[in-house]
Amino acid sequence: MITVQFELNGKAVSVDCPPERRLLELLRETFHLTAAKPGCGIGRCGACMVWIDEQPVNACLVMAWQLEGRRVRSYENLATSTESAPVRDALARCGGLQCGYCTPGLAMTLTHLHRLEPRPKRDEAALLLAGNLCRCTGYGGIRRTLAQLFDPAIQAPLDESTPT
Amino acid sequence: MNTPDHTPDLTPHRLIDHAGLLALARPRPDAAAKLAATPFPSDHLGDQALHGAILGSPHPHARILAIDTRAARALPGVHAVLTAADIPGTPCYGLRHVDRPVLCADKVRCIGDPVAVVAADTAEQAHAAVAAIRVDYALLAVVDDPLHALEAQAETVHAGGNLLHHLHHAHGDLGAAVAACEHVVEDEYHSPRQMHAYLETEGGIVEHDDDGRLVVRFGCQNPERDRQVIAGILNLPPDRLRVIGTPVGGSYGGKDELTIQPLAALLALKTGRAVRLHLNRGESTDLGVKRHPMRMRLRSGCDADGRLRFIEADILADTGAYATHGPEVLDAAIEHVVGPYAYDAVSLRGRLAYTNNGIAGAFRGFGAVQTQFALERQIDRLAALAGFDPLCFRQRNLAAPDAPGPLGQHVLPFDGPHRALDVLRTHALWTAPHRHADGRYLYGTGLALVHRSDGFGKGGPNAARLVLALAADGKLELRAGFTEMGQNLIGAATRMMADHLHCAEDDVRIVLGDSALTPDSGPTAASRTTSIIHRALRDHGPRWRAALVDAARVDVELPSAARTAAGGLVSEAGHPVLDYPSLARQCATTRPTLVIDLPAEETPSDIPAAHLVFGASAALAQVRVDSWSGQVKVERLVLANALGPVISAEGLLGQMEGGAVMGQGMATIEDLPSPGGRYAARNLDGYFIPTLADAPEIEVLAIENLMADDPAGPRGAGEISVNVAVPAVANAIAHATGLTVTRLPVTPDTVLDHLERQA
Ligand code: FES
Ligand code: FES
């Protein structure tokens, strides 16, 4: 067992747990924050995405000992913040979610990309989003969301269905 | 050239193009809740809930000699270790065949087959207890091939033998039809074991409420049926159970049947505590159902004029260890292998075998997609032999809109297949060359046409009960035992309520998927829910509008022509008279409700499992094949859907795009082999599904026409995109490479082998 102290959604927290305990499990079981989802547990689906020190990270791959002194932000916190408002709005308006299970993870990644300076172009953003699997949408609504949030790389006609 | 002789004079298409659909699309009503991280069933942690864990079989096929749970029971934190002997009621469940043990008593039939189940204070303790259970097995021969399963000397998976279901259908003079043929194509096609890969694995909680009920909360597709079945297993009256099944983090058919709910309920009953059970991806892969792999021998032919004369099909499907929906899947495979085409003679045979290859069950596209792949390959091959353009060949061979259905049954007249082809005929992707090469890359465009049934076949659970009610807060409620799995049922239902009740969408609330609040509406499956709600509101909406006005009249003087409108009742001239919240307050004790019992609408023909209603879709796929790596990239998909009036543009777009990419996955990358009865992968690092980078550009077109006096209205949109995308991609790969595609997915190795042989 170790004691880890880190910042979670703006508050200092401390937990005693085995050093290899995954952040995803800490969030869900210890802190009862269930927006991060256990889709695969091995870093393949992105449903468990959180931010650590402002960088998107799969919470299922992070162990407790790695958290000491870090700043963790989960979607519960982001969902009520203005930073994610354009992303949430675009996802809703563009049909970027269906069942919604991938949505918190997707919104974590998208918001991160949208806040980056300089903001990535649409094709770069699409590339960086390939780690967030969605089984429902076929990515159609997610592409439209990207078109709403990110400029195309080169001068292209303003066509939402233009592939990224 | 090639005047299609069955093409009727079509009235102008009522076509909405992709941009038109986008313009009509609006945010889903449940988007805000989902974006606010509202919990899914598997996110409910409960108060002091115990953790459940399952001991599954490590063997695909074995007899259980002894189970010793003593050591497990003695471990700290363990509250229950249960085996089959602890089940108070019915030990097995199933749909048409009740063959699946809640917990295995005498033998195990697949990897992960549950043998014992544990509840403990923590997940670690539960897993430690599972590890401490001792089971002695006597291994049995593993049946991992459906063909071998049907041989006389095969080990039997179930006592009744390995042939679970078979059917045969024939009409017409086959000999004469074959004799009339100039071109005949015969081949064996193979379709893969596809995994649903819903991102929310099976999980949820069972709690005890203050009324002494067990509240079972797991994503599902039919809460009321689940309640009845779980009640039987626990030997409780159904009213001691409440089943909540919505929202669902993806299902696609995979959560239609019960899986682990009975185990969680059993633990909660025995411990008197709340119990959580949530499978990890590996366990979900083991226990969750898959798409039935099929071997399909097809032989069909056309005459010198390019007219189809006959089709013969012999289908063998692998249902794995338990029946679940297997028989209906095979029925659908047979009914759809004929397609929307006319023949002089058909001869169809299907067999469904038990094996030890996991469990196959319901999956979007449901049996039909497998045989539509094989059929549409045959059609393309015959068209080439006869020297016809693939689209003209299909047009030429369509059954007339008022022709009988695929099994000769009475069906609703429908010209959707004619329209879908006609719309694609002039599409730029089709009028461009269908194949070209650009250095390393080979490009090909493929076409497919499918029609598919709505609802269940004759004799299935086609009836539905829905309730309309005025809620205490004045909302006009539609209560249905369906669940929201992402298909935008809430959005479509809201729109239909507003349309048929002449009110605003804000006046409406859709209450779903909770056996305590919603009636038995039957399964949320078979692309049926939109059609059912439409029928209910179309036929009973006027009565309900009148009931609301009548309810108001009891206490208030209303103008004689008062009617429902946005916000409340209005006078004939549209002046507000009474808003809905006031109406609800006024009739606090006798708020009106209307119970709607929709009878099953089935074909009058006496053919088991035959369908009455069909929708249609045609698709173009453009692929780019990398001749160096053999990799197939689907670049474009165009789907022309003839499904009647569009209820929800965002729902249609979402279902089409999502299903198409799922079909693309099945055609190009997805398969879960089961050598020796063991799945070759247990997670998303070994089983790949399409990512954003793989997804093609998709264009969705909606053809809204239905035949005059069509009684059914809008067709379901939940599945047909899978059905049509799979053969379209397969045909596109064939055009791009010249490969005779007979096996899905088309792997890079297959492509490279083919290109090498050609060189
Ligand atoms: S659960 Fe972490 S990436 Fe899938
Ligand atoms: S919306 Fe269901 S997985 Fe993305």
Side-chain angles (χ1 to χ4, degrees):
Chain A
M1 290 288 240
I2 54 168
T3 301
V4 202
Q5 297 186 324
F6 59 101
E7 188 186 302
L8 177 58
N9 294 335
K11 291 203 189 77
V13 296
S14 168
V15 277
D16 298 321
C17 66
E20 74 280 8
R21 172 77 36 97
R22 306 293 161 135
L23 172 58
L24 178 58
E25 201 185 329
L26 284 178
L27 288 173
R28 293 177 63 88
E29 299 295 332
T30 307
F31 297 104
H32 297 179
L33 297 172
T34 56
K37 311 293 187 200
C40 67
I42 54 165
R44 296 301 295 222
C45 75
C48 64
M49 197 72 76
V50 296
W51 290 355
I52 298 182
D53 297 338
E54 308 292 305
Q55 296 298 314
V57 173
N58 285 322
C60 68
L61 295 182
V62 177
M63 295 189 189
W65 65 267
Q66 296 171 297
L67 291 172
E68 185 62 42
R70 313 288 289 272
R71 263 177 308 130
V72 177
R73 246 178 117 182
S74 76
Y75 184 67
E76 280 87 353
N77 182 267
L78 198 74
T80 53
S81 85
T82 52
E83 297 147 281
S84 70
V87 167
R88 285 181 282 124
D89 182 63
L91 282 168
R93 283 198 293 135
C94 301
L97 65 146
Q98 291 185 20
C99 83
Y101 200 75
C102 68
T103 306
L106 191 77
M108 293 293 310
T109 311
L110 269 176
T111 304
H112 168 74
L113 295 172
H114 193 247
R115 285 186 348 151
L116 280 181
E117 297 202 9
R119 185 173 293 164
K121 298 294 178 202
R122 198 180 299 164
D123 52 352
E124 298 169 78
L127 214 59
L128 293 164
L129 209 58
N132 287 86
L133 297 179
C134 174
R135 190 57 153 169
C136 293
T137 61
Y139 305 99
I142 294 170
R143 283 251 171 85
R144 290 189 284 279
T145 302
L146 284 171
Q148 191 109 137
L149 295 172
F150 300 92
D151 292 333
I154 41 161
Q155 214 53 46
L158 254 184
D159 175 0
E160 292 192 306
S161 65
T162 300
T164 44
Chain B
M1 63 167 235
N2 298 339
T3 328
D5 43 359
H6 288 296
T7 295
D9 286 332
L10 298 173
T11 52
H13 301 307
R14 289 212 313 274
L15 186 70
I16 309 180
D17 67 9
H18 193 83
L21 288 168
L22 282 175
L24 289 170
R26 281 184 276 157
R28 310 163 52 99
D30 57 353
K34 286 177 171 170
L35 285 160
T38 304
F40 286 83
S42 60
D43 292 330
H44 285 265
L45 308 178
D47 187 23
Q48 306 284 309
L50 300 177
H51 292 252
I54 303 169
L55 173 65
S57 168
H59 307 296
H61 203 190
R63 199 158 292 290
I64 297 173
L65 302 177
I67 307 176
D68 185 349
T69 60
R70 282 169 300 180
R73 281 175 214 270
L75 289 175
V78 174
H79 291 250
V81 182
L82 306 177
T83 64
D86 299 300
I87 298 170
T90 329
C92 293
Y93 62 101
L95 298 161
R96 237 196 261 179
H97 295 262
V98 179
D99 63 355
R100 185 167 179 183
V102 177
L103 287 164
C104 299
D106 55 345
K107 71 182 284 193
V108 290
R109 297 179 177 85
C110 61
I111 297 276
D113 218 356
V115 174
V117 67
V118 168
D121 288 324
T122 68
E124 287 80 6
Q125 289 168 336
H127 288 119
V130 160
I133 300 170
R134 230 192 103 174
V135 186
D136 293 332
Y137 294 100
L139 301 190
L140 296 168
V142 175
V143 184
D144 72 346
D145 182 281
L147 200 58
H148 296 156
L150 298 182
E151 287 166 0
Q153 72 280 11
E155 186 76 47
T156 51
V157 178
H158 289 270
N162 292 337
L163 183 63
L164 168 59
H165 182 54
H166 65 102
L167 69 161
H168 187 253
H169 172 86
H171 62 254
D173 181 342
L174 187 66
V178 175
C181 286
E182 179 77 17
H183 307 287
V184 172
V185 172
E186 178 171 4
D187 219 326
E188 184 169 291
Y189 298 86
H190 295 253
S191 68
R193 179 180 288 104
Q194 188 179 26
M195 178 152 85
H196 301 69
Y198 27 76
L199 281 193
E200 184 194 26
T201 53
E202 297 81 351
I205 187 165
V206 181
E207 294 169 291
H208 300 263
D209 73 7
D210 295 339
D211 301 327
R213 282 183 305 192
L214 283 177
V215 182
V216 180
R217 191 189 290 270
F218 282 72
C220 75
Q221 297 185 210
N222 190 349
E224 183 53 37
R225 180 188 60 204
D226 291 357
R227 181 168 80 121
Q228 303 287 339
V229 175
I230 298 169
I233 293 166
L234 302 186
N235 198 23
L236 291 176
D239 59 14
R240 287 278 316 280
L241 280 162
R242 173 179 180 187
V243 174
I244 303 170
T246 200
V248 189
S251 179
Y252 327 112
K255 293 173 186 163
D256 190 3
E257 252 248 86
L258 288 167
T259 50
I260 57 172
Q261 297 96 319
L263 298 175
L266 187 64
L267 287 170
L269 180 73
K270 293 287 182 175
T271 59
R273 296 275 300 271
V275 175
R276 294 162 55 189
L277 192 55
H278 191 175
L279 300 184
N280 65 33
R281 180 60 65 183
E283 296 167 326
S284 167
T285 303
D286 288 344
L287 265 188
V289 299
K290 308 288 176 291
R291 192 185 295 289
H292 285 75
M294 292 190 192
R295 260 170 232 203
M296 303 165 280
R297 177 149 285 279
L298 262 65
R299 184 167 168 252
S300 53
C302 65
D303 61 23
D305 291 335
R307 283 206 179 67
L308 287 170
R309 293 300 192 130
F310 81 99
I311 180 166
E312 265 184 296
D314 187 2
I315 314 293
L316 175 62
D318 179 355
T319 208
Y322 298 106
T324 85
H325 280 286
E328 300 91 282
V329 166
L330 183 67
D331 290 345
I334 290 294
E335 189 177 10
H336 288 86
V337 73
V338 175
Y341 306 110
Y343 308 83
D344 297 345
V346 310
S347 173
L348 316 173
R349 174 183 181 228
R351 289 170 299 159
L352 182 68
Y354 279 127
T355 66
N356 300 119
N357 292 331
I359 308 166
F363 196 156
R364 190 184 205 182
F366 204 82
V369 63
Q370 293 93 326
T371 53
Q372 285 160 334
F373 150 62
L375 169 67
E376 287 295 292
R377 287 294 302 127
Q378 288 279 118
I379 295 286
D380 254 27
R381 293 168 71 180
L382 283 170
L385 283 178
F388 282 84
D389 164 88
L391 196 147
C392 290
F393 186 78
R394 285 173 171 82
Q395 279 185 316
R396 192 173 182 75
N397 283 294
L398 288 177
D402 57 355
L407 303 177
Q409 78 268 34
H410 171 80
V411 293
L412 294 186
F414 183 54
D415 59 9
H418 303 80
R419 290 185 183 277
L421 284 181
D422 192 53
V423 164
L424 290 186
R425 189 172 51 86
T426 50
H427 194 281
L429 186 56
W430 190 246
T431 54
H434 296 167
R435 63 184 299 184
H436 68 279
D438 182 3
R440 140 183 193 189
Y441 296 110
L442 309 170
Y443 293 82
T445 302
L447 167 74
L449 170 69
V450 301
H451 70 167
R452 69 150 288 133
S453 53
D454 249 38
F456 299 97
K458 188 163 178 114
N462 282 308
R465 171 175 285 189
L466 302 171
V467 172
L468 292 169
L470 176 65
D473 62 356
K475 291 283 187 200
L476 305 180
E477 284 188 351
L478 169 71
R479 301 175 186 164
F482 301 135
T483 60
E484 175 63 64
M485 307 178 277
Q487 77 277 43
N488 197 34
L489 174 57
I490 296 174
T494 303
R495 191 97 16 110
M496 287 187 276
M497 284 283 280
D499 283 354
H500 289 277
L501 304 184
H502 305 168
C503 63
E505 292 187 5
D506 278 351
D507 300 328
V508 171
R509 181 186 297 127
I510 309 299
V511 182
L512 295 179
D514 179 342
S515 69
L517 305 176
T518 58
D520 182 359
S521 310
T524 318
S527 305
R528 73 193 278 267
T529 54
T530 302
S531 315
I532 282 176
I533 295 170
H534 166 82
R535 247 173 76 205
L537 292 172
R538 181 195 61 191
D539 298 349
H540 301 272
R543 197 149 64 92
W544 178 239
R545 295 200 307 267
L548 291 170
V549 175
D550 287 347
R553 274 193 215 288
V554 175
D555 297 292
V556 186
E557 192 115 352
L558 287 183
S560 61
R563 55 188 169 86
T564 58
L569 305 180
V570 297
S571 69
E572 189 171 16
H575 299 302
V577 178
L578 186 66
D579 61 29
Y580 294 124
S582 307
L583 173 60
R585 273 195 300 281
Q586 210 174 80
C587 40
T589 48
T590 54
R591 280 198 312 277
T593 59
L594 178 66
V595 176
I596 302 170
D597 276 307
L598 283 186
E601 286 220 323
E602 299 182 337
T603 177
S605 309
D606 189 20
I607 302 175
H611 286 84
L612 173 68
V613 183
F614 286 79
S617 182
L620 301 175
Q622 187 182 47
V623 300
R624 188 192 74 183
V625 179
D626 183 339
S627 66
W628 294 1
S629 69
Q631 224 127 39
V632 175
K633 167 99 177 86
V634 180
E635 299 212 306
R636 280 183 78 184
L637 279 167
V638 182
L639 289 86
N641 306 289
L643 300 169
V646 174
I647 303 287
S648 148
E650 65 280 7
L652 181 75
L653 278 168
Q655 288 297 303
M656 289 302 144
E657 292 167 338
V661 171
M662 204 171 246
Q664 172 200 332
M666 174 172 163
T668 58
I669 51 173
E670 295 185 40
D671 186 18
L672 187 58
S674 179
R678 289 168 198 275
Y679 288 147
R682 293 182 81 231
N683 207 330
L684 302 173
D685 58 344
Y687 185 92
F688 300 110
I689 62 172
T691 71
L692 178 59
D694 304 311
E697 182 194 340
I698 300 176
E699 179 181 343
V700 180
L701 305 167
I703 304 160
E704 292 199 285
N705 310 63
L706 290 173
M707 307 290 280
D709 304 322
D710 176 274
R715 312 304 202 237
E719 301 180 76
I720 200 164
S721 49
V722 180
N723 294 88
V724 77
V726 171
V729 171
N731 282 339
I733 297 169
H735 285 181
T737 60
L739 170 70
T740 306
V741 176
T742 57
R743 185 183 290 269
L744 297 182
V746 180
T747 62
D749 279 350
T750 318
V751 171
L752 289 179
D753 282 353
H754 164 75
L755 294 178
E756 242 158 62
R757 259 181 279 119
Q758 272 198 326

